[in-house]
Amino acid sequence: IQELNSIELFESLSDFRLLSLPDTTMLFANDAICKALGVSREQMIGLKWIDFANPEDLKIILEKISKMSPE
């Protein structure tokens, strides 16, 4: 069995996966999320994922995130 590194694992998933800073600046986005948004990974990196969130869902999203990490 071939061992996958974390980037390869993220890429192999069809679910949206990203890595971001606490201010929501994206450091990594997998192909699934890039394809869904119609942008390249290079275009995604450095953007804030919060800008892509549905404004109606934003309060709930931020509440859930705050429960995951105090930062």
Side-chain angles (χ1 to χ4, degrees), residues 5-13 17-19 28 30:
N5 67 37
S6 57
I7 299 295
E8 290 171 327
L9 177 61
F10 273 0
E11 283 303 322
S12 70
L13 299 172
R17 298 289 183 216
L18 59 85
L19 175 65
F28 173 83
N30 71 349

Side-chain angles (χ1 to χ4, degrees), residues 2-69:
Q2 183 180 4
E3 190 173 316
L4 296 176
N5 67 37
S6 57
I7 299 295
E8 290 171 327
L9 177 61
F10 273 0
E11 283 303 322
S12 70
L13 299 172
S14 60
D15 295 333
F16 296 170
R17 298 289 183 216
L18 59 85
L19 175 65
S20 69
L21 297 172
D23 71 353
T24 78
T25 300
M26 291 183 276
L27 303 174
F28 173 83
N30 71 349
D31 281 342
I33 195 166
C34 292
K35 286 178 185 176
L37 295 173
V39 295
S40 70
R41 180 174 297 122
E42 291 76 22
Q43 292 171 306
M44 292 285 289
I45 304 308
L47 298 177
K48 295 180 183 262
W49 64 256
I50 202 166
D51 294 332
F52 293 93
N54 182 335
E56 295 175 6
D57 298 330
L58 197 51
K59 182 179 178 182
I60 294 168
I61 292 169
L62 294 175
E63 285 174 6
K64 287 183 179 188
I65 289 173
S66 71
K67 290 177 183 175
M68 292 173 24
S69 171

